[in-house]
Structure formats: C-alpha cells, structure tokens
Amino acid sequence: MNDLQDLHELYTDEEVMRYWSTAPHSQLQQTEDTLRFMIYGEYNGRCDFVIDYAPPSTAPKLIGKLGIWDGHEIGFMLARPFWGKGHMKEAMAELLRDFWQREDMKAQDEIVADVDPRNGACIGLLKSFGFKETGYREKTWETHLGWCDSLDLKLERPKD
C-alpha cells in the first residue's frame, strides 16, 4: 500500500475526477478500497497499472493509472501537473502493445472506451491511437456532475 497517498491525491483532485464515473474521494478509506481492488483484482499486473514518474535522483511517485477492465474497456487518469507532457501517451502505447501481445487476451478483438463527450483531451488521446467513434448515448451515467452522456469509441485488434 505504498502508493496509497499518491493515489489518494489523484482521487481527491476535482479536476482529475471531473469526468470519472464517481465523485472525488472524500475519505482515505475510499481510495484504500480502490487500491485493494486494483492489487487483488484479476487484471492487476495484466491490464491494470499505475504510472510512476522518477526524475533523476528522486524516488518514484505515482502520477496516474490506466488499465483495460473486463478484458476490453480502457480507462485512465493522470495527475494535473503531468497533463500535456506525453506521459499518458507513452504509458498507453506500452499498455496497448502489451495487451495485444498477451496470450490470455488473444480472444479480444477490440478495446472500447466510454467517454464523456466534454472530455476533449481524453477523446483526442484515444483517437491518436486509432480509436474510432462508434456511437453516442444520452444520460448513461449519473455522477457528481449530474447526468452525463457517453461517446463510445473502439479500437480493433491490429492486423498481424
């Protein structure tokens, strides 16, 4: 649980959590429960990861997380000081490369994303990896923002 405090910083940041499916965490226990689920979940070390950043002569710090849940749905978040600096793009490139090469994921033909249409940065990042829009649904999530719509995107398995 060494990453608990760093992860809690992410989950309590209103800007980071703006388009997440839950409200920002108000208690450390919420983040601890999330971290336990990550550690002991079936996708830990396979498709669910934290992103560490370690400048020279500095201990690594957790700055984000990303993963592919239920074997096909991608999600991610990054600490605000690291937005727009290429860290998520680098992490996502590694995640996607690894995902498509995993023997236990060979049956997966696609990765999907359910994105709040107001989250332009997320949509832009996904499209930069080849995700295509496949649909738009209204009032799919009731969150701390009220009812939110969903823009559905899909990335098909690359042809070998």
Side-chain angles (χ1 to χ4, degrees), residues 56-129:
S57 305
T58 306
K61 176 176 176 53
L62 185 151
I63 63 166
K65 69 178 295 282
L66 79 160
I68 300 172
W69 293 273
D70 293 330
H72 71 282
E73 184 173 355
I74 195 164
F76 47 92
M77 64 170 56
L78 188 66
R80 271 190 293 156
F82 299 92
W83 288 0
K85 297 181 179 174
H87 298 292
M88 187 56 74
K89 190 164 193 157
E90 180 181 349
M92 189 173 293
E94 288 300 313
L95 175 71
L96 294 173
R97 180 192 56 75
D98 182 66
F99 181 83
W100 295 127
Q101 293 177 356
R102 294 190 65 87
E103 285 298 320
D104 56 340
M105 294 297 160
K106 290 290 185 190
Q108 296 298 330
D109 293 329
E110 63 187 27
I111 300 169
V112 298
D114 176 345
V115 182
D116 187 311
R118 298 170 289 187
N119 192 346
C122 174
I123 294 165
L125 177 64
L126 291 168
K127 286 184 173 182
S128 77
F129 282 98

Coordinates of all heavy atoms in Angstrom, one line a residue, residues 56-129:
P56 N 15.6 12.1 -12.3 CA 16.9 11.7 -11.8 C 17.0 12.1 -10.3 O 16.6 13.2 -9.9 CB 17.9 12.5 -12.7 CG 17.1 12.8 -13.9 CD 15.7 12.9 -13.5
S57 N 17.6 11.2 -9.6 CA 17.9 11.4 -8.1 C 16.7 11.7 -7.3 O 16.7 12.3 -6.3 CB 18.9 12.6 -8.0 OG 20.0 12.4 -8.7
T58 N 15.5 11.1 -7.7 CA 14.3 11.3 -7.0 C 13.6 9.9 -6.9 O 13.6 9.1 -7.8 CB 13.4 12.3 -7.7 OG1 14.1 13.5 -7.9 CG2 12.1 12.6 -6.9
A59 N 12.9 9.7 -5.8 CA 12.2 8.5 -5.6 C 11.0 8.5 -6.5 O 10.4 9.6 -6.8 CB 11.7 8.3 -4.2
P60 N 10.5 7.4 -7.1 CA 9.4 7.3 -7.9 C 8.1 7.8 -7.2 O 8.0 7.6 -6.0 CB 9.2 5.9 -8.3 CG 10.5 5.2 -8.0 CD 11.1 6.0 -6.9
K61 N 7.3 8.5 -8.0 CA 6.0 9.0 -7.5 C 4.9 8.5 -8.4 O 5.0 8.6 -9.6 CB 6.0 10.5 -7.4 CG 4.6 11.1 -7.0 CD 4.7 12.6 -6.8 CE 3.4 13.2 -6.5 NZ 2.7 12.7 -5.3
L62 N 3.8 8.0 -7.8 CA 2.7 7.6 -8.6 C 2.0 8.8 -9.2 O 1.6 9.7 -8.4 CB 1.7 6.8 -7.7 CG 0.5 6.2 -8.4 CD1 0.0 4.9 -7.7 CD2 -0.7 7.1 -8.5
I63 N 1.8 8.9 -10.5 CA 1.2 10.1 -11.1 C 0.0 9.8 -11.9 O -0.7 10.7 -12.4 CB 2.2 10.8 -12.0 CG1 2.6 9.9 -13.2 CG2 3.4 11.3 -11.2 CD1 3.3 10.7 -14.3
G64 N -0.4 8.5 -12.0 CA -1.6 8.1 -12.7 C -1.9 6.6 -12.7 O -1.2 5.9 -12.0
K65 N -2.9 6.3 -13.4 CA -3.3 4.9 -13.5 C -3.9 4.7 -14.9 O -4.5 5.6 -15.4 CB -4.1 4.4 -12.4 CG -5.5 4.9 -12.3 CD -6.3 4.3 -11.2 CE -6.6 2.9 -11.2 NZ -7.6 2.3 -12.0
L66 N -3.8 3.5 -15.4 CA -4.5 3.1 -16.6 C -4.7 1.6 -16.7 O -4.0 0.9 -16.0 CB -3.8 3.6 -17.9 CG -2.6 2.9 -18.4 CD1 -2.4 3.2 -19.9 CD2 -1.4 3.1 -17.6
G67 N -5.7 1.2 -17.4 CA -6.0 -0.2 -17.5 C -7.1 -0.5 -18.4 O -7.8 0.4 -19.0
I68 N -7.2 -1.8 -18.7 CA -8.3 -2.3 -19.5 C -9.0 -3.3 -18.7 O -8.5 -4.4 -18.3 CB -7.7 -3.0 -20.8 CG1 -6.9 -2.0 -21.6 CG2 -8.8 -3.6 -21.6 CD1 -6.1 -2.5 -22.8
W69 N -10.3 -3.0 -18.4 CA -11.1 -3.8 -17.4 C -12.0 -4.7 -18.2 O -12.4 -4.4 -19.3 CB -11.9 -2.8 -16.5 CG -11.0 -2.1 -15.6 CD1 -10.5 -2.5 -14.4 CD2 -10.3 -0.9 -15.9 NE1 -9.6 -1.6 -13.9 CE2 -9.5 -0.6 -14.8 CE3 -10.4 0.1 -16.9 CZ2 -8.7 0.6 -14.7 CZ3 -9.6 1.2 -16.8 CH2 -8.8 1.4 -15.7
D70 N -12.4 -5.7 -17.5 CA -13.3 -6.8 -18.1 C -12.7 -7.2 -19.5 O -13.5 -7.6 -20.3 CB -14.7 -6.2 -18.3 CG -15.4 -6.0 -17.0 OD1 -15.0 -6.7 -16.0 OD2 -16.2 -5.1 -16.9
G71 N -11.4 -7.1 -19.6 CA -10.8 -7.6 -20.8 C -11.0 -6.7 -22.1 O -10.5 -7.1 -23.1
H72 N -11.7 -5.6 -21.9 CA -12.0 -4.8 -23.2 C -12.2 -3.3 -23.0 O -12.2 -2.6 -24.0 CB -13.1 -5.5 -23.9 CG -14.5 -5.2 -23.3 ND1 -14.9 -6.0 -22.2 CD2 -15.4 -4.4 -23.5 CE1 -16.1 -5.5 -21.8 NE2 -16.4 -4.5 -22.6
E73 N -12.4 -2.8 -21.8 CA -12.8 -1.4 -21.7 C -11.6 -0.6 -21.0 O -11.2 -0.9 -19.9 CB -14.0 -1.2 -20.8 CG -14.4 0.3 -20.8 CD -15.8 0.6 -20.1 OE1 -16.5 -0.4 -19.8 OE2 -16.1 1.7 -20.0
I74 N -11.1 0.4 -21.7 CA -10.0 1.2 -21.3 C -10.4 2.4 -20.4 O -11.5 2.9 -20.6 CB -9.1 1.6 -22.5 CG1 -7.7 2.1 -22.0 CG2 -9.8 2.7 -23.3 CD1 -6.7 2.2 -23.1
G75 N -9.6 2.7 -19.4 CA -9.8 3.8 -18.6 C -8.5 4.3 -18.1 O -7.5 3.6 -17.9
F76 N -8.4 5.6 -17.7 CA -7.1 6.2 -17.3 C -7.3 7.5 -16.6 O -8.3 8.2 -16.8 CB -6.1 6.3 -18.5 CG -6.7 7.0 -19.7 CD1 -6.6 8.3 -19.9 CD2 -7.3 6.2 -20.6 CE1 -7.2 8.9 -21.0 CE2 -7.9 6.8 -21.8 CZ -7.8 8.2 -22.0
M77 N -6.3 7.9 -15.8 CA -6.3 9.2 -15.1 C -4.8 9.6 -14.9 O -4.0 8.7 -14.8 CB -7.1 9.2 -13.8 CG -6.5 8.3 -12.8 SD -7.3 8.6 -11.1 CE -9.0 8.3 -11.4
L78 N -4.6 10.9 -14.8 CA -3.2 11.4 -14.7 C -3.3 12.6 -13.8 O -4.2 13.5 -13.9 CB -2.6 11.7 -16.0 CG -1.2 12.1 -16.1 CD1 -0.3 10.9 -15.7 CD2 -0.8 12.6 -17.5
A79 N -2.3 12.8 -12.9 CA -2.2 13.9 -12.0 C -2.0 15.2 -12.9 O -1.3 15.2 -13.9 CB -1.0 13.8 -11.1
R80 N -2.7 16.3 -12.5 CA -2.7 17.5 -13.3 C -1.3 18.1 -13.6 O -1.1 18.5 -14.7 CB -3.5 18.6 -12.5 CG -5.0 18.6 -12.9 CD -5.7 19.8 -12.4 NE -5.8 19.7 -11.0 CZ -5.9 20.8 -10.2 NH1 -6.0 22.0 -10.7 NH2 -6.0 20.7 -8.9
P81 N -0.3 18.1 -12.7 CA 1.0 18.6 -13.1 C 1.6 17.9 -14.3 O 2.6 18.4 -14.9 CB 1.8 18.4 -11.8 CG 0.9 18.3 -10.7 CD -0.4 17.7 -11.3
F82 N 1.1 16.7 -14.6 CA 1.7 16.0 -15.7 C 0.9 16.0 -17.0 O 1.2 15.3 -18.0 CB 2.0 14.5 -15.2 CG 2.9 14.5 -14.1 CD1 2.4 14.6 -12.8 CD2 4.3 14.5 -14.3 CE1 3.3 14.6 -11.7 CE2 5.2 14.5 -13.2 CZ 4.7 14.6 -11.9
W83 N -0.2 16.7 -17.0 CA -1.1 16.8 -18.2 C -0.3 17.5 -19.3 O 0.4 18.4 -19.1 CB -2.3 17.6 -17.9 CG -3.4 16.9 -17.0 CD1 -3.3 15.7 -16.5 CD2 -4.6 17.5 -16.6 NE1 -4.4 15.4 -15.7 CE2 -5.2 16.5 -15.8 CE3 -5.3 18.7 -16.8 CZ2 -6.5 16.7 -15.2 CZ3 -6.5 18.9 -16.2 CH2 -7.1 17.9 -15.5
G84 N -0.5 17.0 -20.5 CA 0.0 17.6 -21.7 C 1.5 17.4 -21.9 O 2.1 18.1 -22.8
K85 N 2.1 16.5 -21.2 CA 3.6 16.3 -21.3 C 4.0 15.0 -21.9 O 5.1 14.6 -21.9 CB 4.2 16.5 -19.9 CG 4.0 17.9 -19.4 CD 4.6 18.1 -18.0 CE 4.4 19.5 -17.6 NZ 4.8 19.7 -16.2
G86 N 3.0 14.2 -22.4 CA 3.3 13.0 -23.1 C 3.3 11.8 -22.2 O 3.5 10.6 -22.7
H87 N 3.2 11.9 -20.9 CA 3.3 10.7 -20.0 C 2.2 9.7 -20.3 O 2.5 8.5 -20.3 CB 3.3 11.2 -18.5 CG 4.4 12.1 -18.2 ND1 5.7 11.6 -18.1 CD2 4.4 13.4 -17.8 CE1 6.5 12.6 -17.8 NE2 5.7 13.7 -17.6
M88 N 1.0 10.1 -20.4 CA -0.1 9.2 -20.7 C 0.0 8.6 -22.0 O -0.3 7.4 -22.2 CB -1.5 9.9 -20.5 CG -2.7 8.9 -20.6 SD -2.6 7.5 -19.4 CE -3.0 8.3 -17.9
K89 N 0.4 9.3 -23.0 CA 0.6 8.8 -24.4 C 1.7 7.7 -24.3 O 1.5 6.6 -24.9 CB 1.0 9.9 -25.3 CG 0.9 9.4 -26.8 CD 1.0 10.6 -27.7 CE 0.6 10.1 -29.1 NZ 0.0 11.1 -30.0
E90 N 2.7 7.9 -23.6 CA 3.8 6.9 -23.5 C 3.3 5.6 -22.8 O 3.5 4.5 -23.2 CB 5.0 7.5 -22.8 CG 6.1 6.5 -22.6 CD 7.3 7.1 -21.8 OE1 7.3 8.3 -21.6 OE2 8.2 6.3 -21.5
A91 N 2.6 5.9 -21.7 CA 2.1 4.7 -20.9 C 1.0 3.9 -21.7 O 1.0 2.7 -21.7 CB 1.5 5.2 -19.6
M92 N 0.1 4.6 -22.4 CA -0.9 4.0 -23.2 C -0.3 3.2 -24.4 O -0.8 2.1 -24.7 CB -1.9 5.0 -23.7 CG -3.1 4.3 -24.3 SD -4.5 5.3 -24.8 CE -5.0 5.9 -23.2
A93 N 0.7 3.7 -25.0 CA 1.4 3.0 -26.1 C 1.9 1.6 -25.5 O 1.8 0.6 -26.2 CB 2.5 3.8 -26.6
E94 N 2.5 1.6 -24.4 CA 3.0 0.4 -23.8 C 1.9 -0.6 -23.4 O 2.0 -1.8 -23.6 CB 3.9 0.7 -22.5 CG 5.2 1.3 -22.9 CD 6.1 0.4 -23.8 OE1 6.2 -0.8 -23.5 OE2 6.6 0.9 -24.8
L95 N 0.8 0.0 -22.8 CA -0.3 -0.8 -22.4 C -0.9 -1.5 -23.6 O -1.2 -2.7 -23.6 CB -1.4 0.0 -21.7 CG -2.7 -0.7 -21.4 CD1 -2.4 -1.7 -20.2 CD2 -3.8 0.2 -21.0
L96 N -1.2 -0.8 -24.7 CA -1.8 -1.3 -25.9 C -0.9 -2.4 -26.5 O -1.3 -3.5 -26.9 CB -2.1 -0.2 -26.9 CG -3.2 0.7 -26.4 CD1 -3.4 1.9 -27.4 CD2 -4.6 0.0 -26.2
R97 N 0.4 -2.1 -26.6 CA 1.4 -3.0 -27.2 C 1.3 -4.3 -26.4 O 1.2 -5.4 -27.0 CB 2.8 -2.4 -27.2 CG 3.8 -3.4 -27.8 CD 5.3 -2.9 -27.6 NE 5.5 -2.7 -26.2 CZ 5.7 -3.7 -25.3 NH1 5.7 -4.9 -25.7 NH2 6.0 -3.4 -24.0
D98 N 1.4 -4.2 -25.1 CA 1.4 -5.4 -24.3 C 0.1 -6.1 -24.4 O 0.1 -7.4 -24.4 CB 1.7 -5.0 -22.8 CG 1.8 -6.2 -21.9 OD1 2.7 -7.0 -22.1 OD2 0.9 -6.3 -21.0
F99 N -1.0 -5.4 -24.3 CA -2.3 -6.1 -24.4 C -2.5 -6.9 -25.6 O -2.9 -8.1 -25.5 CB -3.4 -5.0 -24.3 CG -4.8 -5.5 -24.3 CD1 -5.4 -6.0 -23.1 CD2 -5.5 -5.6 -25.5 CE1 -6.7 -6.5 -23.1 CE2 -6.8 -6.1 -25.5 CZ -7.4 -6.6 -24.3
W100 N -2.2 -6.4 -26.8 CA -2.4 -7.1 -28.0 C -1.5 -8.4 -28.1 O -1.8 -9.3 -28.8 CB -2.2 -6.3 -29.2 CG -3.2 -5.1 -29.3 CD1 -2.9 -3.8 -29.5 CD2 -4.6 -5.2 -29.4 NE1 -4.1 -3.1 -29.6 CE2 -5.1 -3.9 -29.5 CE3 -5.5 -6.3 -29.2 CZ2 -6.5 -3.7 -29.6 CZ3 -6.9 -6.0 -29.3 CH2 -7.4 -4.7 -29.5
Q101 N -0.3 -8.3 -27.4 CA 0.6 -9.4 -27.4 C 0.3 -10.5 -26.4 O 0.9 -11.6 -26.5 CB 2.0 -8.9 -27.3 CG 2.5 -8.1 -28.4 CD 3.9 -7.5 -28.2 OE1 4.5 -7.7 -27.2 NE2 4.4 -6.8 -29.2
R102 N -0.5 -10.3 -25.4 CA -0.7 -11.2 -24.3 C -1.5 -12.4 -24.8 O -2.5 -12.3 -25.5 CB -1.5 -10.6 -23.2 CG -0.8 -9.5 -22.5 CD -1.5 -9.0 -21.3 NE -1.6 -10.1 -20.3 CZ -0.6 -10.4 -19.4 NH1 0.4 -9.6 -19.3 NH2 -0.8 -11.4 -18.6
E103 N -1.0 -13.6 -24.5 CA -1.7 -14.8 -24.8 C -3.1 -14.9 -24.2 O -4.0 -15.4 -24.9 CB -0.8 -16.1 -24.4 CG 0.4 -16.3 -25.2 CD 0.1 -16.7 -26.7 OE1 -0.9 -17.4 -26.9 OE2 0.8 -16.2 -27.5
D104 N -3.2 -14.4 -23.0 CA -4.5 -14.5 -22.3 C -5.5 -13.5 -22.9 O -6.7 -13.5 -22.4 CB -4.4 -14.4 -20.8 CG -3.7 -13.2 -20.4 OD1 -2.9 -12.5 -21.2 OD2 -3.8 -12.8 -19.2
M105 N -5.1 -12.6 -23.8 CA -6.0 -11.7 -24.4 C -6.2 -11.9 -25.9 O -6.7 -11.0 -26.6 CB -5.5 -10.2 -24.1 CG -5.5 -9.8 -22.7 SD -7.2 -9.8 -22.0 CE -6.9 -9.9 -20.3
K106 N -5.7 -13.0 -26.4 CA -5.8 -13.3 -27.8 C -7.2 -13.3 -28.3 O -7.5 -13.0 -29.5 CB -5.1 -14.6 -28.2 CG -3.6 -14.5 -28.0 CD -3.0 -13.7 -29.1 CE -1.4 -13.8 -29.0 NZ -0.8 -12.8 -29.8
A107 N -8.2 -13.6 -27.5 CA -9.6 -13.7 -27.9 C -10.2 -12.4 -28.0 O -11.3 -12.2 -28.6 CB -10.4 -14.6 -26.9
Q108 N -9.6 -11.3 -27.5 CA -10.2 -10.0 -27.6 C -9.9 -9.4 -29.0 O -8.7 -9.2 -29.4 CB -9.6 -9.1 -26.5 CG -9.9 -9.5 -25.1 CD -11.4 -9.5 -24.8 OE1 -12.1 -8.7 -25.4 NE2 -11.8 -10.4 -24.0
D109 N -10.9 -9.0 -29.6 CA -10.8 -8.4 -31.0 C -10.8 -6.9 -30.9 O -10.5 -6.2 -31.9 CB -11.9 -8.9 -31.9 CG -11.8 -10.3 -32.2 OD1 -10.7 -10.9 -32.2 OD2 -12.8 -11.0 -32.4
E110 N -11.2 -6.3 -29.8 CA -11.3 -4.8 -29.7 C -11.2 -4.4 -28.3 O -11.3 -5.1 -27.3 CB -12.7 -4.4 -30.3 CG -13.8 -4.9 -29.4 CD -15.2 -4.6 -30.1 OE1 -15.2 -4.5 -31.3 OE2 -16.2 -4.5 -29.3
I111 N -10.9 -3.1 -28.1 CA -10.9 -2.4 -26.9 C -11.9 -1.2 -27.1 O -11.9 -0.6 -28.1 CB -9.5 -1.8 -26.5 CG1 -8.5 -2.9 -26.4 CG2 -9.5 -1.0 -25.3 CD1 -7.0 -2.4 -26.3
V112 N -12.7 -1.0 -26.1 CA -13.7 0.1 -26.2 C -13.4 1.1 -25.1 O -12.7 0.9 -24.1 CB -15.1 -0.5 -26.0 CG1 -15.4 -1.5 -27.1 CG2 -15.3 -1.2 -24.7
A113 N -14.0 2.3 -25.3 CA -14.0 3.4 -24.3 C -15.3 4.0 -24.3 O -16.0 4.2 -25.3 CB -12.9 4.4 -24.7
D114 N -15.7 4.4 -23.1 CA -17.0 5.1 -22.8 C -16.5 6.4 -22.2 O -16.1 6.5 -21.1 CB -17.8 4.3 -21.8 CG -19.1 5.0 -21.4 OD1 -19.2 6.2 -21.6 OD2 -19.9 4.3 -20.8
V115 N -16.6 7.5 -23.0 CA -16.1 8.8 -22.7 C -17.1 9.9 -22.6 O -18.0 10.0 -23.5 CB -15.0 9.2 -23.7 CG1 -14.3 10.5 -23.3 CG2 -13.9 8.1 -23.9
D116 N -17.0 10.7 -21.6 CA -17.9 11.9 -21.5 C -17.5 12.8 -22.7 O -16.4 13.1 -22.9 CB -17.7 12.6 -20.2 CG -18.6 13.8 -20.0 OD1 -18.8 14.6 -20.9 OD2 -19.2 13.9 -18.9
P117 N -18.5 13.1 -23.6 CA -18.2 13.9 -24.8 C -17.5 15.3 -24.5 O -16.9 15.9 -25.4 CB -19.5 14.1 -25.5 CG -20.5 13.3 -24.7 CD -19.9 12.8 -23.5
R118 N -17.6 15.7 -23.3 CA -17.0 17.0 -22.9 C -15.5 16.9 -22.7 O -14.8 17.9 -22.5 CB -17.7 17.6 -21.7 CG -19.1 17.9 -21.9 CD -19.8 18.3 -20.6 NE -20.0 17.1 -19.8 CZ -20.7 17.0 -18.7 NH1 -21.3 18.1 -18.2 NH2 -20.7 15.9 -18.0
N119 N -15.0 15.6 -22.6 CA -13.6 15.4 -22.2 C -12.8 15.3 -23.5 O -12.3 14.2 -24.0 CB -13.5 14.1 -21.4 CG -12.1 13.9 -20.8 OD1 -11.2 14.6 -21.1 ND2 -12.1 13.0 -19.9
G120 N -12.5 16.5 -24.1 CA -11.8 16.5 -25.4 C -10.4 16.0 -25.3 O -9.9 15.4 -26.3
A121 N -9.7 16.2 -24.2 CA -8.3 15.7 -24.1 C -8.3 14.1 -24.2 O -7.5 13.5 -24.9 CB -7.7 16.2 -22.8
C122 N -9.2 13.5 -23.5 CA -9.3 12.1 -23.5 C -9.6 11.5 -24.9 O -9.0 10.6 -25.4 CB -10.4 11.6 -22.5 SG -10.7 9.8 -22.5
I123 N -10.6 12.2 -25.5 CA -11.0 11.8 -26.9 C -9.9 11.9 -27.8 O -9.6 11.0 -28.6 CB -12.3 12.6 -27.3 CG1 -13.5 12.2 -26.4 CG2 -12.6 12.3 -28.8 CD1 -14.6 13.2 -26.5
G124 N -9.2 13.0 -27.7 CA -8.0 13.3 -28.6 C -6.9 12.2 -28.4 O -6.4 11.8 -29.4
L125 N -6.6 11.9 -27.2 CA -5.6 10.9 -26.9 C -6.0 9.5 -27.5 O -5.3 8.9 -28.2 CB -5.4 10.7 -25.4 CG -4.4 9.7 -25.0 CD1 -3.0 10.0 -25.6 CD2 -4.3 9.5 -23.5
L126 N -7.3 9.1 -27.3 CA -7.7 7.8 -27.8 C -7.7 7.8 -29.3 O -7.3 6.8 -29.9 CB -9.2 7.5 -27.3 CG -9.2 7.2 -25.8 CD1 -10.7 7.2 -25.3 CD2 -8.6 5.9 -25.5
K127 N -8.1 8.9 -30.0 CA -8.1 8.9 -31.4 C -6.7 8.9 -32.0 O -6.5 8.4 -33.1 CB -8.9 10.2 -31.9 CG -10.4 10.0 -31.8 CD -11.1 11.2 -32.4 CE -12.6 11.0 -32.4 NZ -13.4 12.1 -33.0
S128 N -5.8 9.4 -31.2 CA -4.4 9.4 -31.7 C -3.8 8.0 -31.8 O -2.8 7.7 -32.5 CB -3.5 10.3 -30.8 OG -3.2 9.6 -29.6
F129 N -4.5 7.1 -31.1 CA -4.1 5.6 -31.1 C -5.0 4.9 -32.1 O -4.9 3.6 -32.2 CB -4.1 5.0 -29.7 CG -2.9 5.4 -28.9 CD1 -3.0 6.4 -28.0 CD2 -1.7 4.7 -29.0 CE1 -1.9 6.8 -27.2 CE2 -0.6 5.1 -28.3 CZ -0.7 6.1 -27.4

